Amino acid sequence: MPDENRKEKHLNRYEKTGNAVRLSERAHSQERARPAKPFSRTKQIMLGFLVIILIGSLLLMLPISTKDGQTTDYSGALFTSVSATCVTGLVVYDTYSHWTIFGQLVILLMIQIGGLGLITITSFAMIILRRRIGLNSRELIRKSLNTPQLHGSVRLVRTIIRGTLLIEGVGAALLSIRFVPQFGFLRGVYYGIFHSISAFCNAGFDLMGYQGEFSSLTAYTTDPLVSIVIMVLILIGGIGFLVWDDIIVNKYHFRKYRLQTKVVLVMSAILVFGGAVLFFIFEYSNLMADMTIWEKILASFFASVTPRTAGFNTISLSEMTNASKLLTVLFMFIGGCPGSTAGGVKVTTIAVIFLYIKSYLLHTEDCTIFKRRLDKDTMKRASVVIFINLSLAIVMLFVIMATQDFDPLDVMLEVFSATGTVGLSAGLTPQLNTVSRTGIMILMYLGRVGSLTFAMSFIERRTSGVVRYPEERIIIG
């Protein structure tokens, strides 16, 4: 009898254990079958840009937005909205001639939101309202600003907003010194504010169409005040918010800066001064033939600064030499710095590629700079960014040249201007057909959110391979 009781207890325990195992397996299978979250943080950022674009396009369609009181076709309104939100500057309508003050303010608001990022602005609003910023919100800030760590993200948002207001305010005041005597007090101050925000956000929108549509800043080619202020605003907006923070914390102690800050500052200096020398040589006897030596230097520096995603120009792009156009295309592809208002593949990406080429040619095991070693994942990421952006540009080149008859070099300017969110154009933008215009809008959007970020958002769940296949080499070069 006791043996039978023990057996019954053992069977009951076995059945319970079996049920527990089966329940555990069922729960595990359900968890595996459970769908992933519909919107990752990356997708939320991308969706935020889309929402701003759509709202802006609807506002620009309103009759109150246009000077003739007519409704703008949705294609043109959408293109303008994408260009403003993605801080590009390519336009199908001249900003001064087509849009009213209301339409211009809508464009300016989209430029400001697109330059700083919707997440940064909403986070600052939460700070002002004394709302608690949770861990998820902090991670979203980190992702949108492309910062390496979660710590200090709220402080960085405060720095960005305060710094932006201060820099844009000073820029607007300085530009007003020139514009107020020209246009009167109210219009002069408005022009100062508009161009200061547009330059700082690297947008390239201007209100100089009263001199002729799409004239940009060609009337100020030899004006040191306007040229220098615009250049400084472009450079400050394009070096990146992390660099700001580093400089504020460590002042002028270069050795204490982060590696990224050092690379950004050195590369920016090389591109600005090197580009100015080349533009000076290429345009010396062309567009700058009638200028004094100091005016040529000023125009050369402006031509070197603005292609790195700003979109303003003081000399006619369509009349440049072919060498200057190719150099402009190269600078547009490189762009500004990560975590900034600028686009392009970024100067850090180019620096990493050159460093690894140098390391490979010299047969050194590690790739080092400023006594720091770069990890291999950085090299992979840099290679992928360049490949994706170059591939997108090449595909778009074929699309435009297959559907429309334009000069190939001018098409390159248009395509790389959209890819790098620059805004410079040889005058093709208003002539683009529906297919070409759609392709340019896609390039501007991907250029702002990041082509690699966009691609990775669809494959964020990584699969860890269990099997490793045999290694075999293929011949390169």
Side-chain angles (χ1 to χ4, degrees):
M1 192 73 179
D3 291 338
E4 289 180 6
N5 289 335
R6 277 198 301 272
K7 189 181 291 183
E8 187 175 351
K9 288 180 181 178
H10 178 71
L11 287 172
N12 288 337
R13 188 162 57 248
Y14 176 79
E15 286 176 2
K16 288 177 182 178
T17 306
N19 288 334
V21 169
R22 284 192 291 273
L23 285 170
S24 175
E25 288 177 350
R26 190 181 304 160
H28 183 62
S29 64
Q30 287 176 351
E31 188 171 339
R32 282 185 301 180
R34 189 178 298 159
K37 291 181 179 180
F39 290 111
S40 63
R41 293 183 180 92
T42 302
K43 289 178 181 175
Q44 288 178 46
I45 295 168
M46 288 166 25
L47 183 63
F49 277 103
L50 281 176
V51 170
I52 298 300
I53 288 169
L54 293 175
I55 293 173
S57 64
L58 293 175
L59 289 174
L60 291 177
M61 282 186 68
L62 299 174
I64 193 177
S65 296
T66 59
K67 287 188 173 180
D68 61 5
Q70 302 297 314
T71 302
T72 302
D73 65 286
Y74 188 67
S75 174
L78 180 63
F79 191 96
T80 305
S81 182
V82 172
S83 184
T85 306
C86 298
V87 289
T88 303
L90 290 174
V91 291
V92 291
Y93 305 115
D94 181 75
T95 309
Y96 170 83
S97 305
H98 185 78
W99 306 108
T100 59
I101 296 293
F102 176 81
Q104 292 168 11
L105 290 175
V106 170
I107 291 171
L108 192 63
L109 182 60
M110 288 190 288
I111 289 171
Q112 190 73 87
I113 295 173
L116 297 181
L118 182 62
I119 304 301
T120 303
I121 293 174
T122 53
S123 299
F124 187 71
M126 291 175 67
I127 293 171
I128 293 176
L129 296 173
R130 300 184 182 278
R131 298 284 297 276
R132 182 177 175 274
I133 299 178
L135 192 61
N136 286 333
S137 298
R138 290 170 189 263
E139 178 61 25
L140 195 58
I141 295 170
R142 187 198 69 79
K143 196 80 173 177
S144 66
L145 295 176
N146 201 18
T147 58
Q149 58 187 15
L150 195 64
H151 175 69
S153 56
V154 175
R155 180 181 61 81
L156 182 58
V157 167
R158 290 195 186 98
T159 301
I160 291 170
I161 299 297
R162 290 170 181 170
T164 297
L165 293 175
L166 175 63
I167 294 164
E168 289 179 347
V170 172
L174 291 173
L175 290 174
S176 296
I177 294 173
R178 176 67 70 243
F179 295 149
V180 167
Q182 278 188 279
F183 309 114
F185 182 77
L186 289 178
R187 186 180 172 191
V189 170
Y190 172 62
Y191 268 47
I193 294 171
F194 189 99
H195 291 93
S196 179
I197 294 174
S198 183
F200 175 80
C201 292
N202 284 211
F205 281 80
D206 67 86
L207 299 177
M208 299 302 171
Y210 69 93
Q211 304 169 98
E213 292 189 345
F214 313 109
S215 58
S216 192
L217 300 177
T218 51
Y220 301 93
T221 306
T222 59
D223 189 320
L225 176 61
V226 173
S227 294
I228 292 173
V229 170
I230 293 293
M231 281 192 286
V232 171
L233 287 169
I234 291 168
L235 290 172
I236 294 175
I239 62 173
F241 302 126
L242 274 179
V243 175
W244 285 17
D245 188 57
D246 207 1
I247 293 174
I248 290 170
V249 172
N250 295 303
K251 308 303 179 189
Y252 304 108
H253 302 288
F254 187 81
R255 292 184 179 180
K256 294 183 180 180
Y257 292 162
R258 300 185 190 99
L259 179 59
Q260 175 168 319
T261 303
K262 293 177 181 178
V263 172
V264 162
L265 294 178
V266 170
M267 283 294 294
S268 296
I270 291 172
L271 291 171
V272 170
F273 286 95
V277 170
L278 291 175
F279 278 114
F280 184 87
I281 295 170
F282 297 154
E283 297 298 328
Y284 187 89
S285 301
N286 185 37
L287 293 177
M288 303 178 190
D290 298 328
M291 299 181 189
T292 66
I293 188 68
W294 295 112
E295 290 172 347
K296 289 178 180 178
I297 291 173
L298 182 65
S300 297
F301 270 102
F302 197 94
S304 178
V305 170
T306 193
R308 295 184 43 234
T309 85
F312 294 105
N313 61 286
T314 56
I315 54 178
S316 175
L317 201 66
S318 59
E319 297 175 12
M320 278 184 172
T321 62
N322 288 338
S324 293
K325 288 183 179 180
L326 282 173
L327 183 59
T328 301
V329 168
L330 177 62
F331 274 28
M332 290 193 294
F333 182 70
I334 294 172
C337 310
S340 71
T341 60
V345 298
K346 308 297 188 294
V347 296
T348 48
T349 302
I350 300 299
V352 168
I353 294 296
F354 273 105
L355 288 170
Y356 269 94
I357 290 173
K358 174 189 171 185
S359 175
Y360 181 82
L361 293 176
L362 297 178
H363 301 286
T364 55
E365 185 177 351
D366 294 328
C367 180
T368 59
I369 181 173
F370 294 115
K371 297 182 180 180
R372 293 291 185 272
R373 175 171 53 87
L374 298 178
D375 63 298
K376 292 183 179 180
D377 188 61
T378 303
M379 171 58 186
K380 292 178 182 178
R381 189 178 181 87
S383 302
V384 171
V385 167
I386 287 182
F387 178 78
I388 291 177
N389 280 271
L390 199 55
S391 299
L392 288 170
I394 290 172
V395 169
M396 198 60 223
L397 280 170
F398 278 110
V399 170
I400 294 179
M401 287 193 286
T403 57
Q404 294 187 266
D405 186 21
F406 292 131
D407 180 82
L409 197 51
D410 289 342
V411 177
M412 283 182 65
L413 281 167
E414 196 79 17
V415 168
F416 281 93
S417 181
T419 305
T421 67
V422 182
L424 291 174
S425 173
L428 303 189
T429 311
Q431 305 174 52
L432 296 176
N433 59 26
T434 304
V435 174
S436 300
R437 191 178 290 187
T438 303
I440 292 295
M441 283 192 286
I442 292 171
L443 288 182
M444 289 191 291
Y445 177 72
L446 294 181
R448 184 64 186 96
V449 301
S451 54
L452 179 60
T453 302
F454 182 81
M456 292 297 291
S457 68
F458 295 99
I459 50 173
E460 286 187 271
R461 296 184 67 186
R462 298 181 179 180
T463 55
S464 56
V466 179
V467 178
R468 297 191 70 187
Y469 294 101
E471 184 180 281
E472 186 173 348
R473 293 190 175 187
I474 60 173
I475 298 172
I476 302 294

